[in-house]
Amino acid sequence: MTGSEVPHSFRLAYVPGVTPTKWIRIWNERLPDVPLTLVAVSPTEAFGVLRDGGADAGFVRLPVDRADLSAIPLYTETTVVVIPKDHLVASAEEVSTADLADEIVLHPLDDTLDWERLPGQPAIERPATTADAIELVAAGVGVLVVPQSLARLHHRKDLTYRPVSDAPESRVALSWPQDETTDLVEQFIGIVRGRTVNSTRGRPAAAEQPKATAKAKAKAKAKRPDAHGGGAQRKPAAGKPAGKSARGGAGGPKGGKGGKPRRRS
């Protein structure tokens, strides 16, 4: 990508509960000339924002439609139940969905968990958002089962939460449009995956090694004593005298019966 093609900024969408602070810090260190703009989105609108070009990439919750979006799963969250601090469940370190059988379990419209069957008793109406459901929990209307990051996001002093051992889990991923895998998207993927600033995707670490080895061999050969004929000569093999060739030479076999040449008739 040439300098004229570099966009003014990199737009990063994120759903509630995701904290991209550490990745933003690394981005600012490595690409100080390309500002990163955060785009807060709800789980229901996140994919539409990516498809419509409202963000270059985004932290979303799985599943992702792989027909036109790419995704890299990052981590799986613990699922918890949000309850008042004086609730009976607060005395346990961990609960199961069976422990919530008699509770009114709120199910907001922006719920991120994939339930086959919601535990507990249903509320008369579904809250519009997780934030609305938190307010109802604080009012003693019911309890709420959410990913732990959302429980922390909506923290209140009068509420607490406990892990739910057998509830569905939420998985967070980095996603972007398949047809828009730009250089800046690749840069951000590298940051999220923990690549160092000097690493290059797809280039083998030892690509330069054969050349270095060849030079080392040539240098070593030049240092050998016999590299340029200056070394000791080999001794002749035992039983083979050195000298002229076998035909009439000093070291060759004797020819004829005597030392005189034969007369020609």
Side-chain angles (χ1 to χ4, degrees):
M1 180 178 287
T2 63
S4 60
E5 294 174 333
V6 177
H8 178 66
S9 67
F10 182 76
R11 297 158 301 170
L12 178 66
Y14 68 102
V15 296
V18 176
T19 306
T21 307
K22 64 177 181 180
W23 296 304
I24 295 173
R25 175 180 53 79
I26 298 173
W27 176 278
N28 291 334
E29 292 173 356
R30 295 186 185 180
L31 292 93
D33 296 331
V34 184
L36 189 152
T37 303
L38 288 175
V39 182
V41 295
S42 68
T44 55
E45 66 181 358
F47 302 117
V49 170
L50 293 176
R51 291 188 175 101
D52 295 340
D56 300 292
F59 290 110
V60 301
R61 295 186 185 275
L62 295 177
V64 170
D65 184 355
R66 301 298 182 105
D68 59 341
L69 297 174
S70 296
I72 301 174
L74 299 178
Y75 57 89
T76 300
E77 289 196 71
T78 300
T79 303
V80 301
V81 57
V82 181
I83 49 177
K85 281 190 173 181
D86 58 356
H87 195 282
L88 181 62
V89 171
S91 62
E93 293 184 0
E94 182 181 85
V95 298
S96 67
T97 53
D99 296 325
L100 305 176
D102 296 330
E103 302 290 338
I104 294 177
V105 178
L106 302 168
H107 191 204
L109 295 176
D110 63 355
D111 187 12
T112 61
L113 300 175
D114 186 17
W115 294 99
E116 290 185 6
R117 182 179 179 277
L118 195 70
Q121 305 298 318
I124 298 175
E125 293 183 3
R126 293 183 63 180
T129 65
T130 298
D132 293 336
I134 290 289
E135 294 296 328
L136 294 175
V137 173
V141 174
V143 300
L144 176 65
V145 182
V146 291
Q148 184 170 314
S149 65
L150 292 181
R152 290 174 174 171
L153 177 65
H154 299 288
H155 172 71
R156 290 174 53 119
K157 292 182 178 180
D158 54 344
L159 301 179
T160 187
Y161 57 84
R162 294 291 182 269
V164 183
S165 59
D166 56 347
E169 295 175 322
S170 177
R171 300 175 66 197
V172 173
L174 175 66
S175 183
W176 67 96
Q178 291 180 3
D179 295 336
E180 297 295 334
T181 309
T182 64
D183 289 347
L184 290 181
V185 170
E186 289 284 7
Q187 289 275 7
F188 194 76
I189 292 171
I191 290 173
V192 170
R193 283 184 161 172
R195 296 189 194 126
T196 63
V197 67
N198 295 322
S199 64
T200 301
R201 185 176 185 182
R203 184 179 68 185
E208 300 284 334
Q209 189 63 26
K211 293 183 180 179
T213 302
K215 289 182 180 179
K217 287 182 178 180
K219 190 175 182 181
K221 185 177 180 180
K223 289 183 178 180
R224 287 205 296 257
D226 59 341
H228 300 288
Q233 296 181 354
R234 292 184 178 179
K235 293 182 179 180
K240 295 183 179 180
K244 297 181 180 179
S245 63
R247 292 182 178 273
K254 294 180 180 180
K257 293 183 180 180
K260 296 180 180 182
R262 293 180 182 181
R263 290 182 181 179
R264 293 185 178 183
S265 57

